[in-house]
Amino acid sequence: MTYPRIDLDGASVAITGGGAGIGRAVAKLFASKGAHVAIGDLNQAAAEEAAALVGGTAHHLDVADRDSFASFVAATEKAHGPLHVLVNNAGLMPNGGFLELADATDRLQIDVNLGGVLSGMKLVLPGMVERGFGHVVNVASLAGKFPVKGLAVYNATKFAVVGLTAATRLEFADAGVSLTAVLPSAVDTALASGLDLRPIPKVQPEDVARAVVDSVHNRRAEIAVPGYVGLLATAARVTPEPVLNRIRRLVRDDRALHSDRPERSEYRANLEAQQGTRR
């Protein structure tokens, strides 16, 4: 499939969760290509700091709130013109046993990791289809292909995002609008702080940012970061379960179930604070 070319010099780009981590790295790289970048984040101060760094605009954004997302899209297009690219990056990853995590924590993951992606797509795709071009990047995860103990609901949301992206990519291809799922392994950000996910490799936000920006040109359906982890996830799916379970035990694949590291405690405390602001 050949899609209309998007020239990043002067393009209008919106990034959710752009105040830190992957989102900030994505914003910096898009800005370096000449794009006009709008950064949405639940943390207004972080959004403003990132926007000042890249010469973009900052917006308070709660992706779990459809009205908040609609306001973000409207403000972005008012400032920078109709959207060329939306990067659905905002997400969260609480860890723990499936029966141990509170229902409110499960719901928050679903509302942010999946609901936010759905809202963003439904808000921007009609305009992209009408204009006959556009690109949406959904930052999913290797966890959207490979289940991990202690991340059951996170796995569920990311599996859903991968499937959603694949299905809508087929639906909108003839309209000239492309969708890409980017699947990083563990990323060296607050999201995975305090978690020992070995042997899953840890990558830097800048590695993911390159994949996101490159997708505007190559329009690939899925991009794993690093590339070889996608092959490993595919191999795992065809490996007999008894063999795979032995490998999992050897590498101690239950380390995400519990973590008493200070960084993880801080991350959980921040999530609880977020839940309080959303009530």
Side-chain angles (χ1 to χ4, degrees):
M1 179 69 192
T2 301
Y3 295 95
R5 182 176 180 273
I6 294 176
D7 186 353
L8 288 181
D9 189 9
S12 175
V13 178
I15 304 165
T16 73
I22 294 172
R24 182 179 288 207
V26 169
K28 287 175 64 177
L29 191 52
F30 269 120
S32 74
K33 306 293 184 182
H36 300 301
V37 177
I39 295 172
D41 203 289
L42 192 64
N43 185 329
Q44 178 73 29
E48 290 174 355
E49 183 180 320
L53 185 67
V54 303
T57 56
H59 310 268
H60 178 267
L61 170 62
D62 181 355
V63 298
D65 181 334
R66 175 70 174 263
D67 291 339
S68 177
F69 213 138
S71 296
F72 171 56
V73 172
T76 297
E77 296 198 324
K78 182 178 180 180
H80 305 306
L83 271 177
H84 294 74
V85 181
L86 170 66
V87 181
N88 279 314
N89 166 71
L92 46 86
M93 189 177 74
N95 67 298
F98 175 67
L99 297 178
E100 296 169 7
L101 292 178
D103 290 347
T105 301
D106 293 341
R107 173 52 58 187
L108 184 61
Q109 291 188 78
I110 294 167
D111 289 347
V112 172
N113 295 355
L114 176 57
V117 172
L118 282 166
S119 291
M121 290 169 60
K122 289 203 168 184
L123 286 165
V124 307
L125 284 172
M128 290 181 174
V129 169
E130 183 178 350
R131 293 186 292 273
F133 71 91
H135 184 57
V136 175
V137 184
N138 293 330
V139 179
S141 171
L142 177 63
K145 294 279 191 175
F146 187 79
V148 179
K149 293 177 185 176
L151 299 177
V153 176
Y154 180 79
N155 275 136
T157 62
K158 294 302 183 178
F159 268 75
V161 168
V162 170
L164 171 69
T165 308
T168 51
R169 178 181 173 88
L170 296 173
E171 186 173 340
F172 294 104
D174 289 342
V177 178
S178 52
L179 295 98
T180 295
V182 172
L183 283 64
S185 62
V187 185
D188 191 12
T189 65
L191 195 79
S193 60
L195 287 181
D196 183 354
L197 296 174
R198 291 175 295 175
I200 296 173
K202 185 168 279 191
V203 297
Q204 297 303 310
E206 291 75 15
D207 299 323
V208 185
R210 281 192 291 274
V212 170
V213 174
D214 286 349
S215 76
V216 180
H217 303 298
N218 60 43
R219 307 295 180 92
R220 287 170 54 188
E222 289 184 5
I223 304 175
V225 185
Y228 67 84
V229 298
L231 298 175
L232 293 178
T234 300
R237 288 200 299 274
V238 298
T239 301
E241 186 178 29
V243 175
L244 187 59
N245 285 342
R246 283 199 294 272
I247 296 171
R248 285 179 172 277
R249 285 192 292 271
L250 285 173
V251 300
R252 292 179 54 213
D253 74 330
D254 61 350
R255 284 178 287 194
L257 278 167
H258 305 286
S259 176
D260 57 2
R261 294 182 181 180
E263 312 95 288
R264 202 63 198 165
S265 298
E266 182 180 353
Y267 181 76
R268 286 195 293 266
N270 288 336
L271 284 186
E272 290 173 5
Q274 284 187 31
Q275 286 175 273
T277 63
R278 287 184 162 105
R279 291 193 183 102

